[in-house]
Amino acid sequence: MPKKGRKKSGRLSRMTEEERLLYMQQKMMAEEEQNKKKEDMLMQFLKDKLAKEEQNSKMNMNKLNVQWRAVLREVKATELRRDIEILHQTFERVVDCKDHVIKSLIKDIDEAEGQYTHALRSHLQNIDQLLELQRERLDLLQEEYQQELDAIQIEFDTERKMIIEQSEKEMSYLQNVMLAMEQNTLESENEAKQEFQSMRDEIKNKSLEEKHSLRVLLEGTVEDLWKQFQQALKNYTNATEDRKIAFETLKAKDEKSAEEIAYQMKKLQKIQETITTLRNKIATHARESDEQNRQVREDKEVVHKQFQKLKGQMNQARAAEHSRLTTLTVQSNAALKQLNRVIEKGEQILRLAEMCRKLETEEEKVLPFYPSSLSDAEREEAERANMEKPSEQLAQLMLDYAALDQFWKRYNKVLLERWALDREKAVLSQDNQKLRVLLKQYLDGISVSDDVLTQHNSLLILNNRSNLSQKVAPQVPVTDKRVQRPVHNIIEAAHVVSRTL
């Protein structure tokens, strides 16, 4: 070692300053590399060691977990076995309780079915009785209605027959009047025809005579005029030839118009004659027809009055029957509503009976009715009185509700028990109040506080004088800490074991 140091020191002494710095740098770099290699080797060794430790810790942890799991399985298995046994016992106990409850419920159901059948039978009997009463009432009303209807129908038939007979008489009278009028009209028509023929013949003869006389006169005048005319014609023809032709044409027209005027005059005369005759006939017929129409109108008014009277009577009868029918329908609807209310009330009573049946005790289920307190003689007398037919209406109504005797027995039993419980409750409440007063006096005597000092206390004596008073101490509330019971917190063992394990 001293040789190497010497060699180094000699080498350093022979080196220049730059070489010495370079050498020192190289030396430092070599040392750093060695230190890095050592650190790398140390890090690699530590990493390998850490990996081995982690692997070993994992293996140990797995072994511990396996062993701990086995221990926990055994503990849990024992706990589960114990819980299973407890659950099995509780299950058997619950099953026994359920079997007992089921048996009791089956008994209750059987008894309830018996009571239900009995109540249903009695209810159906009551309904049948009510229906029978309603049917009898409806039959009576139907009979009354039928009787009134028959009476009205008989009266209507009699009036109808009378009206038909009267109408037939009037129709026969009117037919006779019509036949008489037709005969009168035929006779008057024949007389008018005869008068017309005679008048026509007379007029015809007069017209022929006048025509013959006029023809003779006209022939003489025509001859004279014809001569004059021939002379004037000659003069005129000689004077005016043209006017002649126009005159001839006008003459022909004049002849034609004269013929037409004569024909129309004859026709007008005939028409005027027929008009006068027809006017006379119309006047006579109008007088006769007015008289007949007046009589027919009077008969019509009488028939119309009778018809209105019968119509009014029929409307009154119809209104009365309609009012009776409406009252009958209203009463029937009211009866149906009342029956529905009774049915709803019965169903409500049955539901309440089922609910009360669940609250009955075993004794009440076995003996639902209390034994009779009557003696044998009194019982026989009561039975004999029940067998007798009631004379009063109230007794008859009570006999109709004899099926509810068992119900009233149970109701009275429950009512008596309720009154007894109310009395017992009142007595117990008084005892409870007295005990509270005594307990408060005792607590006030053994405790010292401002409230106790201010109140009356029998044990507190100051200046040879007691603070006792005859007044009743105030009532201590149940929530007071002095009379309140201690509260114990209870924790189940299974919960503690599950938390600790």
Side-chain angles (χ1 to χ4, degrees), residues 22 26 44 49 57 60 73 90 119 124 175 212 217 252 281-282 313 344 448 474 496:
L22 183 60
Q26 291 177 356
Q44 188 66 33
K49 189 175 181 180
S57 64
N60 294 326
R73 285 195 191 96
T90 55
L124 292 174
Q175 287 176 1
H212 184 69
L217 292 172
K281 290 180 181 181
I282 287 167
Q313 292 176 359
E344 291 177 358
V448 178
V496 175

Side-chain angles (χ1 to χ4, degrees), residues 20-46:
R20 192 181 298 163
L21 290 171
L22 183 60
Y23 176 72
M24 291 298 289
Q25 289 177 358
Q26 291 177 356
K27 188 177 180 180
M28 289 176 68
M29 290 176 66
E31 288 177 356
E32 287 179 358
E33 288 178 358
Q34 288 179 1
N35 290 328
K36 284 183 180 180
K37 286 179 180 180
K38 288 180 180 179
E39 289 177 357
D40 292 335
M41 289 174 67
L42 184 60
M43 289 295 292
Q44 188 66 33
F45 176 73
L46 292 172

Side-chain angles (χ1 to χ4, degrees), residues 9 12 24 32 78 111 122 144 151 218 223 249 267-268 297 309-310 314 341 382 386 393 426 433 452 457 473 480 499:
S9 61
L12 289 171
M24 291 298 289
E32 287 179 358
T78 55
E111 293 176 358
S122 63
E144 291 177 359
L218 287 171
E223 286 178 358
T249 56
K267 192 174 181 181
L268 287 171
R297 198 176 293 112
K309 184 178 179 181
L310 292 173
M314 188 180 294
R341 285 197 291 271
N386 289 327
Q393 188 176 2
Q433 189 173 2
V452 173
N457 195 345
D480 196 350
R499 290 295 181 182

Side-chain angles (χ1 to χ4, degrees), residues 131-147 328:
L131 290 173
E132 189 65 28
L133 289 172
Q134 186 66 19
R135 288 194 191 96
E136 290 176 358
R137 185 171 174 273
L138 290 174
D139 293 335
L140 290 173
L141 291 173
Q142 185 69 27
E143 289 177 359
E144 291 177 359
Y145 173 74
Q146 192 67 34
Q147 290 175 0
L328 180 61

Side-chain angles (χ1 to χ4, degrees), residues 89 107 152 214 231 279 281 354 373 376 421 464-465 498:
Q89 292 174 1
K107 290 180 181 178
I152 292 168
L214 289 170
Q231 185 64 35
R279 281 179 179 175
K281 290 180 181 181
E354 291 177 358
S373 61
D376 295 334
L421 290 172
N464 295 322
R465 286 185 295 177
S498 62

Side-chain angles (χ1 to χ4, degrees), residues 93-107:
R93 187 169 63 255
V94 170
V95 168
D96 294 334
C97 292
K98 295 291 183 183
D99 291 334
H100 180 68
V101 171
I102 288 166
K103 289 178 182 178
S104 64
L105 289 174
I106 289 168
K107 290 180 181 178

